[in-house]
Amino acid sequence: MKLSPASLGGAYTVRGYCALCTAHCATVTTVEKGRVVKLDSDPDHPHGGVMCIKGKAAPELLYHPDRLDYPLKRTRPKGDPDPGWKRVGWDEALDDIAERLLAIRERYGARAVALAKGTKSGTSVDDAERWLGRLLYGFGSPNWVSTTHVCNWHKDTGFSYTFGTNLPTPDLEQSNAFLLWGHNPSSTSLILAENIVAARSRGMKIVAADPRRVGIASQADILLQVRPGTDGALALALIHCLLEEGWYDAEFARNWTNGPFLLRRDTGKLLTEFDLEASGDRERCVVWDESAERPIIYDTASGSMEKTAARPLLFGERSVRDKNGSEMACETVLQAIARIASRYSPERSEPITRVPAQKVWQAANLLAHNRPVSMYMWNGLGQHTNATQTSRAVAALYALLGDIDRPGGNVVFPKPKLNGVDGKDLLPKEVAAQRLGRAEKPLGPPAKPGNCAAYDLFTAILESRPYPVKALLNFGSNGIMSSADSRRARAALCALEFAVATELFMTPTAELCDYVLPATCFLEMGNLSNGFEHRRRAKLHLQYRPAVVLPLAERRSDTSMIFELAKRLGLGERFWDGDIEAGYAHELAPSGVTLDQLKASPGGITVEIPTRYRKYSEADETGIARGFATPSRKVELYSQLFAAHGYPPLPVYEEPLMSPVSRPEIAKEFPLILTNAKFTTFIHSQQRALPALRKSSPEPIAELHPETAAAVGIKNKDWIVVESPKGSIRVRARVTERILPGVVCCQHGWWQECRALKQPGYDPYSDDGANPSVLIGTELRDPVSGSLPHRSYLCRVRPA
């Protein structure tokens, strides 16, 4: 690795971006006498202008005395209090790792090897994620373990079942109103928060749904403080308001959604041409033409009606004669949704959601009359047993506003074209079908985009179901802390035949591995990226981020480890014989920008591509509008894929499986609702060893309302015990009026000590620890995604 001549002495700056989380804030790093001294925001970058305290603390991360510096090999059995770590050389470690992986593949097949990665939302794994997929799939295993089922899957893939695309970028520069649901960007994505605040300053209205009055939600024009896990009922209440008052976009609903499609009242399924004619097609749907007062056929393959001047009926019931001459009662999809939503009108849903009916009406009125509307949601909606149906209801709400891919709505902005290198083309479909969890979740993460849940991995390790897994590669994955039921996670890792971790620190997960390899932080490695997500021009930006300093000690980047391991596994040709920059050049080839050009352009290059709106209305090669990337080419308020797999095809509300309503017998003993939230100081289970951050948040806390605290004799800053039917933890109380009464909000990720401040670490398995994962089991899950109830469970609190 080469650095500039200035790196040999004196001071210099390097333009780059922070890779600690998905925000990728642009940075200017200052180096003095070979040492990184500070990071500042880069105001000249399209993703610049802001930087959080976590990024500013990166120099402490780089030089922390507890960082891993050398490859380590276990010499004693797993579970032994003394692992007997032995320092080894890189060649010895990589040679042995490759040899053992190949031996396991020979004995059990490639699927017996799994790969776990950290979330790119909150780690630096995004730098290497594409290469990790290429390594795993090239090796022949489908088992890629991540936290997507409790993180981004519902806002991205879940959203795509309605619109055919992941949740697009909010076009905040042109929005008149913004709906923020289950996300606090002030703590986790400062660039998005900055964009929202800037739009608000020019007059944009904000509606926020959150049980806590924090961040952007505290500044919202209307805050809907919803009981955790009942967001689906709230979304249906808002839908009822739009339909009842005619505040929805009728033109968009008529022309671009499947709302006019007819449903059979007897089966609840879509009426098809086959129902009307013996020779009819089961894939062609039926709408009622108001102008001709008869049913007509919609061809899903072409996206066209049999009658060009048809006016599809939006609401109502009609009787249709079937192929046998019998009368069949039908209703439109929108009529069915209106019927479902009416059960959750604001007045009826208020006892469920705890949101006053008047506020729901006000919120619907604000959104409907301040268009265009953009929206954003994240894992506040995803960590529940009803998460998929909730995301479907929120997507249906947004569809009825009609602002998808319009100026000021959520827009699929262009990005420079790159060659994909994630290796998905290397894995045969029949092997992908064997992915852990896919049989139980055929539409969930194991199928699309292709990730396993940790609990399915643990079952394969401990019970050999559906087949045994014998080896695990952990790249930045601290599964002990990020998975529910940490004690079972420990048992699984101890039972593995072979495990490897690449890490910055010796985490609870790394402690249970056979090899621990020292990874660089983002300041010690280069990377090619176009992963700038929150601004229109930033999405057009390409950047080569150079290493600011050479790797300290014997640390290596995840990318270099992957390329070296690939060669030893016989995959050298697929990894450009270990030449990382050749891989970058291959990625860049279609963009028209070369790697040399990027290296010569500190801060990167913005590729000019014009934005096109309403792309769904553009004609394809047949001259018909292309529509949406769904089976019907329409926004699917009724999901044909869900119907085919036995899931409710219309958005419905399902009470959380562990709540005062669904489990009243348990609620007698555990009357409070347990939820959790990220907060500003740390990212997931990281950075608690950094003094600059730990002094701001020295201890684990649980937020509770003064009413809740007074009922059990708890005062602010008291040490308390939070108990669930599964376990208990010990944390400090933060008594605050900003949280809904009856709710207890914890924070996950507490394990690491901070020696500089004499702040302790916390046992991740103990009832005296502070790990909320021990409070949640894995038996209650969302049926589609497999999400777990980290944010809607039952608990009680008492003074410690």
Side-chain angles (χ1 to χ4, degrees), residues 277-331:
E277 304 172 14
S279 60
D281 190 332
R282 296 177 188 270
E283 302 302 318
R284 302 179 79 190
C285 299
V286 183
V287 303
W288 186 270
D289 180 12
E290 283 187 300
S291 60
E293 281 298 315
R294 67 175 181 88
I296 61 172
I297 303 301
Y298 172 78
D299 181 24
T300 54
S302 66
S304 61
M305 302 278 186
E306 68 174 63
K307 178 184 173 186
T308 56
R311 181 178 172 80
L313 175 72
L314 281 178
F315 294 95
E317 300 180 6
R318 293 293 186 272
S319 181
V320 177
R321 194 172 299 277
D322 68 12
K323 60 190 173 187
N324 299 316
S326 301
E327 291 293 320
M328 186 164 37
C330 299
E331 65 180 338

Side-chain angles (χ1 to χ4, degrees), residues 210-362:
D210 198 305
R212 301 162 70 227
R213 190 174 66 250
V214 294
I216 297 297
S218 67
Q219 306 172 36
D221 295 272
I222 299 175
L223 171 60
L224 308 173
Q225 284 192 273
V226 58
R227 169 166 70 94
T230 65
D231 304 84
L234 178 58
L236 288 168
L238 290 165
I239 288 172
H240 172 79
C241 296
L242 296 186
L243 299 182
E244 184 74 6
E245 296 298 322
W247 291 342
Y248 67 98
D249 189 321
E251 185 274 337
F252 184 83
R254 192 186 310 277
N255 296 322
W256 301 109
T257 79
N258 67 357
F261 289 13
L262 291 179
L263 295 175
R264 295 178 50 164
R265 290 298 304 269
D266 57 347
T267 65
K269 295 182 179 180
L270 287 174
L271 182 69
T272 69
E273 186 183 42
F274 179 76
D275 294 315
L276 305 183
E277 304 172 14
S279 60
D281 190 332
R282 296 177 188 270
E283 302 302 318
R284 302 179 79 190
C285 299
V286 183
V287 303
W288 186 270
D289 180 12
E290 283 187 300
S291 60
E293 281 298 315
R294 67 175 181 88
I296 61 172
I297 303 301
Y298 172 78
D299 181 24
T300 54
S302 66
S304 61
M305 302 278 186
E306 68 174 63
K307 178 184 173 186
T308 56
R311 181 178 172 80
L313 175 72
L314 281 178
F315 294 95
E317 300 180 6
R318 293 293 186 272
S319 181
V320 177
R321 194 172 299 277
D322 68 12
K323 60 190 173 187
N324 299 316
S326 301
E327 291 293 320
M328 186 164 37
C330 299
E331 65 180 338
T332 66
V333 167
L334 271 174
Q335 181 69 35
I337 288 178
R339 181 163 40 81
I340 293 170
S342 69
R343 302 173 195 157
Y344 300 96
S345 67
E347 293 74 19
R348 290 178 175 178
S349 64
E350 182 174 336
I352 299 171
T353 66
R354 302 186 186 173
V355 179
Q358 183 181 7
K359 276 200 168 186
V360 180
W361 282 107
Q362 290 171 345

Side-chain angles (χ1 to χ4, degrees), residues 330-550:
C330 299
E331 65 180 338
T332 66
V333 167
L334 271 174
Q335 181 69 35
I337 288 178
R339 181 163 40 81
I340 293 170
S342 69
R343 302 173 195 157
Y344 300 96
S345 67
E347 293 74 19
R348 290 178 175 178
S349 64
E350 182 174 336
I352 299 171
T353 66
R354 302 186 186 173
V355 179
Q358 183 181 7
K359 276 200 168 186
V360 180
W361 282 107
Q362 290 171 345
N365 184 50
L366 184 152
L367 294 171
H369 295 95
N370 289 276
R371 293 179 55 199
V373 177
S374 62
M375 60 88 69
Y376 200 76
M377 60 182 181
W378 209 339
N379 57 14
L381 293 182
Q383 296 183 0
H384 308 281
T385 58
N386 57 11
T388 302
Q389 284 297 343
T390 295
S391 69
R392 286 267 298 141
V394 174
L397 169 68
Y398 191 62
L400 291 172
L401 290 168
D403 287 329
I404 188 78
D405 211 38
R406 291 182 174 179
N410 284 68
V411 178
V412 181
F413 289 117
K415 297 183 75 171
K417 187 176 181 180
L418 300 180
N419 279 322
V421 295
D422 59 14
K424 290 179 181 176
D425 57 315
L426 304 178
L427 192 71
K429 290 183 179 179
E430 59 271 18
V431 177
Q434 301 172 29
R435 185 172 290 117
L436 295 173
R438 184 156 180 175
E440 297 80 14
K441 298 180 281 287
L443 295 183
K448 186 181 178 183
N451 295 336
C452 314
Y455 55 75
D456 286 326
L457 171 69
F458 302 152
T459 298
I461 295 169
L462 294 170
E463 303 175 28
S464 297
R465 289 192 295 115
Y467 50 80
V469 168
K470 298 294 183 178
L472 178 65
L473 300 177
N474 288 283
F475 277 80
S477 170
N478 191 2
I480 293 292
M481 301 303 301
S482 62
S483 303
D485 199 347
S486 296
R487 297 180 182 110
R488 190 166 189 260
R490 175 178 57 180
L493 287 172
C494 287
L496 272 172
E497 183 175 319
F498 185 60
V500 179
T502 73
E503 263 298 351
L504 305 181
F505 296 89
M506 184 64 75
T507 67
T509 303
E511 286 177 346
L512 298 174
C513 292
D514 297 279
Y515 278 97
V516 179
L517 306 179
T520 57
C521 73
F522 72 95
L523 295 171
E524 303 168 89
M525 63 175 289
N527 186 51
L528 171 70
S529 180
N530 73 329
F532 304 102
E533 292 300 324
H534 293 304
R535 292 175 179 168
R536 179 181 62 83
R537 287 195 60 76
K539 295 182 81 71
L540 299 169
H541 201 68
L542 293 168
Q543 186 170 4
Y544 178 77
R545 187 196 70 225
V548 176
V549 294
L550 292 171

